[in-house]
Amino acid sequence: MDFTPTEEQAAARDLAARIFGDLATPERLTAAGTDGDPELWKALCAAGLVGAVEELGLLGLVLLLEEQGRTTAQVPFASTCVYGLLAVAAHGSPEQRERLLPGIGDGSVVVCGAFPAQGGVRARGVRGEAERGSAQGELTGTVPVVPWLRDATHVLVADEERELWLTPVAEAARVEAVELTAPWSAGRLTLDGASAERLGADVHRSRSRPPTAGPYTDVLATARTAFAGLQAGVCAGSLARAVAHVNTREQFGRPLATRQAVQLRAADAHMDVEAIRVTAYEAAWRRDAGLPYATHALTAAWWASEAGSRVVHTGQHLHGGAGADLDHPVHRHFLWGRQLDAYLGCGGEVLQELGELIVGEEEARS
């Protein structure tokens, strides 16, 4: 394994850091509220960062999402790249790739993912189109919470059979605003005979697609890895703010950073951040290398959920009373960390799924 970024990945990461640092300021984030930041999204797409993810791979995306997480920038970067660009690049037909990828890259097509935990969406009236390598159908059902839905133009929906369907948000019967812990422009999606096209009906392969992964399994594992990378950035940003605070805040004539208890708490948080980062890197590297990575994605999700919650609590705690201020920048990291914890699944559930997957793989080999 070699997690050293390529020159292209490093250059993209540095460019993303500059754009997020310049535009995702606390003042702009406060002004955005629970809405996205269209100016920042336009800048990211104009810089070619979204479109470049197909070549940068999942590891490259994780590096970019770390930079987003450090600033808690209000853009659907992870969502569009995972459920849009990488999903279409890996599993779309040649016609779907040619039609959809340019729009995703330039920002005119924004995609979010609706993967109901217990099904809830049915596909009916499916008819194949052999010349396009895809199938058309109608979707009916409700997904209670879809992050970034209110910023999206399209939704990638997993039906009760775990088939993936892409449908325009305009086809939805209703989109109702939903308030989450973090301001992710979420919504409740209601579909009633919405026109959709199936993703993954074609056997097209590219470097973006592992050779043995089905569309649902691959996209789900990709999402877990990418959002774990986002959590690594959120936690790193929270810890960096906390370290800066305890180095300048004095108590009894000495900086808080000189206190052993503070040092130990920060050190534990640093180790947690590194664990989140390295497990996300490993899962992403394995996908890019065409290796099985479902268990590694779950491992990254577990660390992001369990350790991520610890880190953002530490970041807030080390700020003392200031950390309880809802308007303090570190509080945004707390909200994002807790939201990612919930989005990835609580640690116990993720650990159970990981155990079942490992047992299943062992039984299949025996």
Side-chain angles (χ1 to χ4, degrees):
M1 291 180 290
D2 184 2
F3 303 149
T4 304
T6 64
E7 290 185 10
E8 293 77 10
Q9 290 171 336
R13 178 195 59 198
D14 294 344
L15 177 58
R18 289 197 296 272
I19 295 174
F20 284 127
D22 290 342
L23 296 181
T25 62
E27 295 76 19
R28 286 175 60 89
L29 293 170
T30 299
T34 61
D35 295 326
D37 187 336
E39 182 179 343
L40 175 54
W41 182 244
K42 182 178 180 180
L44 292 167
C45 294
L49 289 175
V50 176
V53 168
E54 184 179 0
E55 291 300 320
L56 295 175
L58 183 53
L59 181 56
L61 175 59
V62 167
L63 294 172
L64 300 180
L65 292 176
E66 278 193 80
E67 300 306 323
Q68 179 187 1
R70 292 178 195 274
T71 59
T72 62
Q74 288 291 101
V75 287
F77 201 165
S79 175
T80 290
C81 289
V82 169
Y83 300 114
L85 191 139
L86 289 179
V88 173
H91 305 290
S93 67
E95 188 277 334
Q96 287 172 328
R97 288 167 50 83
E98 182 179 359
R99 172 166 48 90
L100 295 169
L101 290 181
I104 296 173
D106 66 26
S108 59
V109 176
V110 179
V111 186
C112 61
F115 279 38
Q118 303 297 330
V121 176
R122 301 183 307 278
R124 62 186 182 187
V126 181
R127 59 183 185 278
E129 295 189 353
E131 69 277 8
R132 295 177 60 186
S134 63
Q136 306 295 310
E138 296 179 347
L139 302 179
T140 299
T142 299
V143 186
V145 179
V146 182
W148 303 109
L149 177 62
R150 289 185 282 127
D151 286 341
T153 61
H154 291 71
V155 188
L156 186 67
V157 182
D159 67 17
E160 57 190 6
E161 301 297 328
R162 295 191 171 184
E163 293 282 357
L164 299 185
W165 300 85
L166 193 64
T167 183
V169 173
E171 289 287 328
R174 286 190 306 279
V175 172
E176 305 163 84
V178 173
E179 185 175 349
L180 300 181
T181 301
W184 283 5
S185 302
R188 176 185 175 91
L189 177 67
T190 302
L191 303 168
D192 186 8
S195 298
E197 58 180 307
R198 187 167 62 194
L199 199 67
D202 187 79
V203 295
H204 166 77
R205 292 194 187 278
S206 74
R207 61 169 293 183
S208 303
R209 177 182 180 180
T212 59
Y216 176 86
T217 300
D218 177 44
V219 174
L220 181 59
T222 299
R224 285 167 166 159
T225 304
F227 281 95
L230 182 60
Q231 181 76 301
V234 169
C235 292
S238 175
L239 184 57
R241 290 187 181 278
V243 169
H245 176 77
V246 298
N247 273 288
T248 56
R249 177 72 171 177
E250 292 190 355
Q251 188 179 65
F252 305 115
R254 296 170 57 192
L256 289 173
T258 63
R259 309 292 177 179
Q260 188 178 48
V262 172
Q263 295 172 2
L264 292 174
R265 188 80 186 272
D268 286 342
H270 172 73
M271 294 303 295
D272 275 338
V273 172
E274 289 303 302
I276 299 169
R277 178 180 288 123
V278 74
T279 52
Y281 283 7
E282 182 179 11
W285 176 85
R286 289 182 65 88
R287 182 186 192 275
D288 292 342
L291 300 171
Y293 73 111
T295 55
H296 300 79
L298 278 166
T299 302
W302 182 83
W303 273 105
S305 177
E306 288 284 292
S309 180
R310 289 196 297 267
V311 173
V312 295
H313 275 86
T314 295
Q316 192 166 14
H317 187 200
L318 291 181
H319 276 78
D325 183 354
L326 300 184
D327 296 324
H328 196 286
V330 78
H331 190 70
R332 292 184 60 86
H333 291 271
F334 175 77
L335 296 178
W336 275 62
R338 292 312 307 265
Q339 184 62 58
L340 283 163
D341 173 18
Y343 188 66
L344 290 165
C346 76
E349 292 178 346
V350 174
L351 202 58
Q352 179 180 348
E353 185 178 349
L354 175 58
E356 292 172 349
L357 183 58
I358 292 174
V359 170
E361 291 179 350
E362 289 296 326
E363 291 178 346
R365 284 195 290 265
S366 61

